[in-house]
Amino acid sequence: LAVCVLLSVLGESGALEGQALHDTVEEMRVGKHQKYTKSHKKFRFFDKDDSESISRQEFESGLKELGYKSSAKKIDHIMSELDTNGDGSVVFVEFMRPTAKKYKEEAELEAMADTDRAFEHLDSDFSGHIDVSEFYEGLAHLPGMAEVSREDVEDFFRNFADVDGDHFLSYEEMESIDPELMRVQG
């Protein structure tokens, strides 16, 4: 079962590669993310010779030790999916690819949920769009906003948030606002 789950995750993990993969793994490491720690322990379990890479033989041996009976074809398939550079072994970053992809997807879902909550909060009349008054009134109670004038909020709304210039903020426009632009300087 675990091998099937790994295969299904691997089949979807092609999008996170190169520098984006390295950056995500580093973000997980620095943040001491639980999935990073667990994956690191799993990697160490398979890396019997402490070479910082897992050979096909080590992977097969580790699976057997865990009680999995996988065919040579299935092991070859998993190794080829993990071994993104095709050198015959899997280094930690390659091993982390499925986990890092899932981490990134969860972070994106959380960001979308944050946008949903913010949009619902700001759209006080439930019209499906936010006008400048709703935007200002929705932000006015936030910490640090006491120093921000209505004029500054209206300027931000017109020049940064309302991309299409229709005097309303759509969900898509709300979603595209750079959070750094929203940061109140204090």
Side-chain angles (χ1 to χ4, degrees):
L1 178 63
V3 174
C4 291
V5 171
L6 178 61
L7 280 173
S8 71
V9 172
L10 285 172
E12 303 165 2
S13 62
L16 192 58
E17 294 178 2
Q19 192 59 46
L21 174 58
H22 285 271
D23 291 348
T24 302
V25 171
E26 181 63 9
E27 179 182 320
M28 292 173 74
R29 184 191 69 76
V30 169
K32 297 183 176 147
H33 195 274
Q34 185 178 19
K35 289 181 180 179
Y36 177 92
T37 304
K38 286 182 177 181
S39 292
H40 196 261
K41 287 179 182 178
K42 290 174 187 174
F43 182 83
R44 291 282 172 229
F45 170 80
F46 283 104
D47 182 20
K48 299 293 185 192
D49 64 2
D50 294 323
S51 65
E52 302 293 321
S53 66
I54 301 170
S55 67
R56 186 196 180 287
Q57 183 180 358
E58 286 174 314
F59 187 63
E60 183 176 12
S61 173
L63 288 175
K64 284 181 182 174
E65 192 174 327
L66 292 170
Y68 295 105
K69 295 179 180 161
S70 300
S71 68
K73 185 177 179 180
K74 189 175 281 189
I75 291 170
D76 288 342
H77 176 72
I78 295 170
M79 284 296 292
S80 71
E81 288 291 321
L82 289 172
D83 181 17
T84 57
N85 67 0
D87 68 355
S89 64
V90 176
V91 296
F92 183 64
V93 171
E94 292 171 318
F95 187 80
M96 282 292 294
R97 191 168 55 117
T99 303
K101 182 177 187 296
K102 186 161 179 60
Y103 167 83
K104 203 68 163 165
E105 288 170 350
E106 289 169 356
E108 289 169 3
L109 287 173
E110 185 61 34
M112 286 172 48
D114 290 345
T115 301
D116 288 347
R117 286 190 291 272
F119 194 86
E120 288 173 8
H121 171 75
L122 294 172
D123 184 18
S124 59
D125 65 1
F126 306 104
S127 63
H129 59 263
I130 301 164
D131 65 30
V132 71
S133 291
E134 288 175 309
F135 192 69
Y136 176 75
E137 290 164 17
L139 296 177
H141 73 282
L142 296 175
M145 287 300 291
E147 303 87 38
V148 180
S149 72
R150 184 178 185 101
E151 184 179 285
D152 288 338
V153 172
E154 288 176 0
D155 182 62
F156 175 81
F157 187 92
R158 277 191 309 278
N159 295 312
F160 294 101
D162 183 19
V163 177
D164 63 10
D166 67 355
H167 306 288
F168 294 102
L169 233 131
S170 67
Y171 180 86
E172 291 76 17
E173 287 170 318
M174 177 82 174
E175 190 175 41
S176 70
I177 296 174
D178 182 349
E180 290 300 313
L181 293 175
M182 296 288 287
R183 181 161 290 151
V184 176
Q185 303 300 317

